Amino acid sequence: MRTPQAVACINVLSLQHNLKQVRQFAPDAKILAVIKANGYGHGMETVANALLDADAFAVGTMQEALQLRSITKDKAIVVLQGIFDASDIQQCVAYNLQPVIHSEYQLELIETAKLDTPIRCWLKVDTGMHRLGIQPDQLTSMLGRIQQAANVDRPVTIMSHMACADDPAHVENQLQIETFDDLEVDEKLPRSLANSAAIIAFSGTHYDWVRPGIMLYGISPVQDRTASELGLQPAMTLKSRLIAIHQLMQGDCIGYGATWQCPEDMSIGVIGMGYGDGYPRHAPSGTPVLINGKRVPVVGRVSMDLITVDLRELPGAAVGDEVILWGEGLPIEEIADEAETIAYELVCRLTSRVEYQLVS
Ligand SMILES: *Cc1c(COP(=O)(O)O)cnc(C)c1O
């Protein structure tokens, strides 16, 4: 059997634990578990099967929704980008999908479609992020049209999305929360505002449905607290192995561009993982990896298939030793900081070369 080098171990129990943490933070809200982008890179099927206790699932696109429907027959599925043309509406009926209406053209498509069964919809209002959503002053007229539309199964859920909840002190948060609170909406209509960061930082935003994504995967959504401080467990541990060890001389240079030079005679380890697997190429020298429970620094540039590390602090390291790139014992948030990106991007961009293994 082929022995894989890059492996993403997905811990099903951690996913389930994190869902329970969401319930602790938002005990009175229903949970729309966001599993877009292949379950934030953890594998849509794995995540969907692990999180069957969620009240509904959300994905980004119609394509993802159809994939998810082949995995779960009866769970409600919300399509965050909604429909784009008449055939999408027919798919929503055929596969029982709930589109978000974020633009007037989408309501027009639904109004003029010929449907046997009405579809359940979510209506997205722009409260200040200025990405998707109708404007607050369009809401009354849109709701009036929805009230008349035979093709819409009521009630519609009113939703919006926050731009800065990861930075709780940001002034934009209160502005968006007030705008959402002030919307002229029948009190009986269900509402949804909070992503992971808002679930944690703003308990007043929970309303009827919360929409956690990143925290389900055990990654902290807020800048000022770590995942472990929030009681979250990393669901993905990315691993590889040492595939070579070299004794080099003072002054020897490592890797492309010869950007790192040995300050003394020393040993260098080579790991079978690189940006071709999804490890960030911009992780600089000094970024930690975990070998036999000890952190050692990356030295030199990350290349497509390989990473080099300084083994001076780990004289017992041997070819074949397991290396953890992030996950258990090495928070992905730290690696993201080193590479000047966010953990969301790191988990989403693992490539097809990485083999997935489930642990539970
Ligand atoms: C992706 C997404 C979420 C989840 O956001 P997290 O920060 O991952 O919790 C919630 N709502 C909408 C509309 C989204 O697009």
Side-chain angles (χ1 to χ4, degrees):
M1 202 182 87
R2 189 183 71 92
T3 48
Q5 278 163 4
V7 178
C9 296
I10 308 299
N11 191 319
V12 171
L13 295 177
S14 296
L15 289 165
Q16 291 169 342
H17 167 87
N18 296 330
L19 180 64
K20 289 205 187 90
Q21 286 299 104
V22 175
R23 290 231 188 264
Q24 299 265 318
F25 279 107
D28 301 322
K30 286 194 266 189
I31 298 178
L32 179 60
V34 181
I35 62 172
K36 62 197 180 191
N38 193 30
Y40 286 48
H42 292 61
M44 183 187 279
E45 183 162 5
T46 304
V47 174
N49 288 329
L51 300 182
L52 286 174
D53 281 344
D55 298 285
F57 290 134
V59 291
T61 65
M62 287 294 298
Q63 185 195 17
E64 290 177 328
L66 296 176
Q67 186 195 344
L68 180 56
R69 184 51 85 216
S70 71
I71 297 165
T72 164
K73 291 286 158 268
D74 9 77
K75 188 71 88 185
I77 298 176
V78 176
V79 192
L80 295 170
Q81 291 172 25
I83 54 160
F84 195 68
D85 59 25
S87 73
D88 288 343
I89 303 178
Q90 300 299 338
Q91 304 268 44
C92 287
V93 175
Y95 294 98
N96 187 21
L97 309 175
Q98 303 182 12
V100 170
I101 300 172
H102 55 72
S103 299
E104 201 181 343
Y105 78 85
Q106 295 175 313
L107 180 56
E108 265 166 42
L109 282 167
I110 295 172
E111 285 169 330
T112 53
K114 296 213 183 337
L115 305 184
D116 305 329
T117 330
I119 48 181
R120 181 60 60 104
C121 298
W122 296 54
L123 181 59
K124 187 167 191 178
V125 184
D126 173 18
T127 52
M129 189 168 181
H130 298 133
R131 200 180 53 174
L132 287 182
I134 61 164
Q135 292 309 301
D137 64 6
Q138 294 178 279
L139 182 59
T140 304
S141 96
M142 291 283 283
L143 281 173
R145 282 167 64 178
I146 286 170
Q147 198 61 37
Q148 302 294 315
N151 286 338
V152 178
D153 184 18
R154 290 176 291 275
V156 67
T157 305
I158 308 296
M159 65 179 281
S160 188
H161 194 51
M162 293 182 64
C164 305
D166 62 318
D167 178 8
H170 201 291
V171 290
E172 180 70 11
N173 292 312
Q174 289 312 326
L175 295 174
Q176 285 199 262
I177 291 168
E178 275 167 35
T179 304
F180 193 73
D181 234 22
D182 291 348
L183 293 175
E184 286 186 28
V185 185
D186 183 339
E187 286 297 310
K188 290 196 288 288
L189 289 187
R191 284 182 283 178
S192 174
L193 179 58
N195 59 359
S196 299
I199 288 168
I200 288 162
F202 300 102
S203 58
T205 62
H206 295 169
Y207 296 96
D208 303 278
W209 285 90
V210 292
R211 306 193 307 270
I214 199 76
M215 71 185 291
L216 291 172
Y217 307 97
I219 296 170
S220 173
V222 284
Q223 291 166 11
D224 55 350
R225 275 186 283 174
T226 65
S228 91
E229 284 167 358
L230 296 167
L232 301 171
Q233 297 174 354
M236 176 193 290
T237 298
L238 184 64
K239 296 178 180 173
S240 186
R241 286 177 302 165
L242 277 175
I243 64 167
I245 295 177
H246 304 296
Q247 301 306 320
L248 298 183
M249 307 280 281
Q250 179 181 16
D252 286 347
C253 294
I254 314 289
Y256 285 117
T259 59
W260 200 87
Q261 206 173 13
C262 297
E264 59 184 319
D265 295 357
M266 60 184 287
S267 66
I268 289 286
V270 184
I271 301 167
M273 161 86 68
Y275 65 81
D277 303 280
Y279 190 85
R281 199 185 79 86
H282 290 102
S285 291
T287 302
V289 307
L290 199 61
I291 305 177
N292 301 333
K294 190 164 179 63
R295 285 171 177 233
V296 299
V298 169
V299 292
R301 282 194 194 151
V302 171
S303 45
M304 190 181 290
D305 310 327
L306 302 167
I307 300 169
T308 35
V309 290
D310 174 351
L311 289 180
R312 278 176 292 180
E313 299 285 316
L314 205 63
V319 167
D321 282 356
E322 185 177 274
V323 180
I324 291 179
L325 287 310
W326 63 63
E328 255 170 74
L330 185 60
I332 191 173
E333 294 91 330
E334 279 186 46
I335 310 303
D337 279 349
E338 292 278 1
E340 295 181 1
T341 182
I342 54 177
Y344 293 77
E345 187 188 18
L346 295 186
V347 286
C348 275
R349 72 175 191 194
L350 293 184
T351 70
S352 58
R353 194 155 72 181
V354 177
E355 185 160 310
Y356 283 72
Q357 290 176 2
L358 303 195
V359 280
S360 59

